[in-house]
Amino acid sequence: VSCAAALVTRTRSIRALNHLIIGKGIAAADDDDSTLFRSSICDIYPDAPAHRRQFSSTNGVSSGIKRIDQTTLPTMSQAVVHNGVVHVSGQIDAAGEDVESQTRNILSKIDSLLQQAGTNKSKLLTASIWLKDIERDFATMNDIWLEWVDGDNKPARATTEANLAFPNLLVEIQVSAVVDPPVDEYI
């Protein structure tokens, strides 16, 4: 994983050091001048986990976009992190024979993607669930969801019936969750 540069600002006041922590960059103080220079986040925090160091940068300003698993499907990332939120793509499972096994497998995939993004299901914000046959499968899916979801931190959720991409798919689930700021834990 390559480290993108963090924007570091030189100022005239040494006391400003503790007050100039900005976004995903680190502000440093110096009495000499107010020029801008770039410093690698890896130089500052070499032991930072890889998922905490993946930033893209444009003109010295970190866009903070992290794309997770762009190889499973050629059309999308399985998750994208931006502005402290992970957006997990709609997850499906073609291996399960019924809504119970598909739902369990999907929720396991979501756990893995949330972990790769640096968060977990206790920080869910939203969930969208599509069922092929809501009348037949809602109760079963909902029971599994209730076992899985953090009971103290339930997200806003919508569930609807939809024709899914393939005939054997019975459920699709998409979530978003808060991701803690990547640099904060190292300051």
Side-chain angles (χ1 to χ4, degrees):
V1 174
S2 67
C3 296
L7 180 64
V8 180
T9 305
R10 295 177 139 195
T11 67
R12 291 197 159 101
S13 171
I14 298 279
R15 292 182 310 170
L17 178 61
N18 292 330
H19 302 287
L20 291 178
I21 297 168
I22 53 174
K24 294 175 179 55
I26 308 299
D30 193 327
D31 283 336
D32 294 340
D33 61 7
S34 60
T35 61
L36 296 177
F37 66 96
R38 297 166 67 85
S39 176
S40 168
I41 194 88
C42 291
D43 294 337
I44 299 167
Y45 300 110
D47 296 328
H51 77 275
R52 295 293 192 185
R53 294 183 285 161
Q54 292 180 340
F55 301 107
S56 58
S57 181
T58 305
N59 295 328
V61 178
S62 175
S63 64
I65 298 174
K66 175 184 173 185
R67 299 180 193 286
I68 298 170
D69 189 359
Q70 296 184 71
T71 59
T72 298
L73 293 172
T75 57
M76 70 182 95
S77 297
Q78 292 300 300
V80 175
V81 180
H82 181 62
N83 283 340
V85 176
V86 58
H87 305 272
V88 177
S89 297
Q91 296 298 302
I92 57 170
D93 176 63
E97 305 249 341
D98 57 20
V99 75
E100 179 179 356
S101 59
Q102 287 187 18
T103 302
R104 289 187 192 284
N105 292 342
I106 289 167
L107 295 175
S108 178
K109 287 181 186 180
I110 289 172
D111 279 333
S112 176
L113 289 165
L114 291 173
Q115 182 181 16
Q116 290 176 61
T119 191
N120 60 63
K121 63 187 171 187
S122 72
K123 296 183 181 182
L124 288 177
L125 297 172
T126 63
S128 297
I129 302 173
W130 296 273
L131 289 167
K132 184 174 187 170
D133 186 335
I134 200 165
E135 186 175 335
R136 178 191 68 206
D137 294 333
F138 180 82
T140 301
M141 179 282 304
N142 204 50
D143 287 345
I144 296 162
W145 174 268
L146 290 171
E147 290 173 16
W148 176 82
V149 75
D150 182 327
D152 294 328
N153 298 292
K154 297 174 193 156
R157 186 185 108 173
T159 305
T160 189
E161 183 173 280
N163 287 323
L164 300 177
F166 302 103
N168 61 328
L169 299 179
L170 304 175
V171 60
E172 180 172 350
I173 303 174
Q174 179 183 33
V175 301
S176 66
V178 171
V179 177
D180 291 330
V183 175
D184 291 355
E185 71 187 51
Y186 301 106
I187 296 177

